Amino acid sequence: MASNSSNQNDYPLSTHPNDGKSSYGGRDVVGYANKPPAVHWPGGAKVAVNLVLNYEEGGENCLLHGDGESEKLLSEIVGAGAIVGERHANMESLYDYGSRSGFWRLHDLLLRKNAPCTVFAVGMALERNPAVANAMVKAGWEIASHGYRWWDYQNVEESVEREHIRRAVQIHKNMLGVRPVGMYQGKPNVNTRKLVVEEGGFLYDSDAYSDDLPYWTREHGNKPHLIIPYTLSENDMKFASPNGFSNAEQFSTYLKDSLDYLVEEGRRGSPKMMSVGLHCRIVGRPGRTKGLEDFLDYAKSLGDEVWICRRDEIAKHWYQNHYPEDVRSSL
């Protein structure tokens, strides 16, 4: 095969040190290269489905939380802008719907359908609502960390983000009796994963969207770190996006179509995982909850071909069955 490299001296105006690299700066554009590991989900399932309930209400930007501006993202006010130095009464009320009403509607649905889930819980939000925290524990859900604040951490000082991660872990210990084993900052920066690995107690993080299967990285620390990719497509956030979902039927149809395709891939010998992102203030509205219910009924109708599970169960399965052999042999 001919080399695809070029003489850098020939292109002095467009040459960059990372040219031609497939793995660089924490990115890996090749991945499994169409040769994924032989995945055998429990019970011979063709797809591992993980429902993720993002619990963020009470941890968003708000002057009452010490912030300099109001929240602007993921609400019924599509395209809202942050109001600097002032409170946004409607935005606060829309977020409060998620913790006061939406959560309990989704909690009821998932219990009735016997569907386990993983919660991505913002530490500040969780700390404000002990009743919600107790309900999550009683339901047997995994409660992973969604950071201390529902912030964009792009330009947050490393020392502040490190403290936030540590504080979020302690809130879990105080309120739930156990630390989180999963982490999803949600709006991270290029140093977030380093801080997560440095903290030392996480089995996995989900600040990635780059695959349909978990994978390992050795970018930080002295042992492999597991990444379980999340999704922004099979996600109710599309209800709050221009040209996104308009009604429950569109939501459930998209989820069912995604599941169907993945099941067929699994039947052909290549099982995958599917995350479904949920938010209390979004899909917790009754007309949207109906779409989630329809999807759950459909997923359940596929029987053993679909494993509806918690994210930490996927992590433990991957540790037990797909831990890097060169590391395992040295243990």
Side-chain angles (χ1 to χ4, degrees), residues 177-189:
V178 294
R179 63 154 296 133
V181 298
M183 176 67 176
Y184 176 68
Q185 191 76 288
K187 291 171 281 188
N189 57 66

Side-chain angles (χ1 to χ4, degrees), residues 111-153:
L111 290 186
R112 284 192 291 107
K113 300 299 179 180
N114 192 28
C117 80
T118 291
V119 180
F120 285 166
V122 171
M124 177 183 279
L126 190 69
E127 194 172 36
R128 295 186 191 281
N129 203 330
V132 159
N134 291 337
M136 294 174 184
V137 173
K138 188 175 180 180
W141 297 347
E142 177 198 5
I143 308 172
S145 178
H146 197 354
Y148 176 60
R149 296 297 309 277
W150 200 63
W151 274 3
D152 184 344
Y153 280 86

Side-chain angles (χ1 to χ4, degrees), residues 51-108:
L51 307 171
V52 175
L53 181 58
N54 291 268
Y55 189 79
E56 301 158 344
E57 294 82 1
E60 76 283 358
N61 280 292
C62 179
L63 265 65
L64 296 175
H65 303 161
D67 302 310
E69 62 184 29
S70 64
E71 186 53 65
K72 61 185 178 182
L73 298 176
L74 270 186
S75 79
E76 304 298 326
I77 311 173
V78 178
I83 303 176
V84 178
E86 296 182 41
R87 294 175 60 186
H88 191 319
N90 282 349
M91 186 66 73
E92 291 174 18
S93 187
L94 287 166
Y95 268 72
D96 291 349
Y97 182 89
S99 56
R100 291 166 58 108
S101 297
F103 170 82
W104 296 108
R105 179 169 291 116
L106 297 173
H107 175 264
D108 172 72

Side-chain angles (χ1 to χ4, degrees), residues 19 42 108 116 142 289 305:
D19 290 349
D108 172 72
E142 177 198 5
T289 307
E305 289 194 301

Side-chain angles (χ1 to χ4, degrees), residues 133-200:
N134 291 337
M136 294 174 184
V137 173
K138 188 175 180 180
W141 297 347
E142 177 198 5
I143 308 172
S145 178
H146 197 354
Y148 176 60
R149 296 297 309 277
W150 200 63
W151 274 3
D152 184 344
Y153 280 86
Q154 177 67 34
N155 296 310
V156 172
E157 290 288 337
E158 184 173 301
S159 59
V160 174
E161 186 175 17
R162 179 182 288 108
E163 179 178 297
H164 279 201
I165 293 172
R166 179 168 56 87
R167 187 171 183 180
V169 169
Q170 190 59 49
I171 288 172
H172 278 244
K173 291 178 179 178
N174 293 345
M175 298 198 68
L176 310 172
V178 294
R179 63 154 296 133
V181 298
M183 176 67 176
Y184 176 68
Q185 191 76 288
K187 291 171 281 188
N189 57 66
V190 295
N191 293 315
T192 298
R193 180 160 293 129
K194 178 188 74 172
L195 300 180
V196 170
V197 173
E198 174 188 286
E199 193 278 336

Side-chain angles (χ1 to χ4, degrees), residues 182-304:
M183 176 67 176
Y184 176 68
Q185 191 76 288
K187 291 171 281 188
N189 57 66
V190 295
N191 293 315
T192 298
R193 180 160 293 129
K194 178 188 74 172
L195 300 180
V196 170
V197 173
E198 174 188 286
E199 193 278 336
F202 291 104
L203 289 179
Y204 70 90
D205 84 68
S206 289
D207 279 308
Y209 311 95
S210 47
D211 214 297
D212 296 310
L213 286 173
Y215 60 91
W216 301 96
T217 178
R218 302 174 192 243
E219 184 183 6
H220 305 292
N222 56 11
K223 61 182 180 180
H225 174 70
L226 183 63
I227 299 173
I228 303 181
Y230 185 46
T231 181
L232 298 182
S233 51
E234 290 79 16
N235 196 307
D236 69 354
M237 67 182 291
K238 294 295 185 180
F239 280 113
S241 303
N243 301 315
F245 303 130
S246 297
N247 55 60
E249 184 178 3
Q250 291 180 355
F251 182 46
S252 63
T253 297
Y254 183 77
L255 294 180
K256 288 187 280 189
D257 286 348
S258 297
L259 182 59
D260 279 344
Y261 206 93
L262 292 174
V263 167
E264 285 300 325
E265 287 187 345
R267 289 170 179 168
R268 295 196 298 270
S270 185
K272 301 293 196 315
M273 65 170 286
M274 175 180 171
S275 298
V276 179
L278 309 169
H279 298 78
C280 302
R281 63 192 176 278
I282 305 295
V283 78
R285 295 281 175 174
R288 296 168 181 161
T289 307
K290 181 60 168 63
L292 177 60
E293 182 174 32
D294 289 346
F295 169 70
L296 290 175
D297 287 341
Y298 181 71
K300 290 275 188 178
S301 75
L302 295 175
D304 292 340

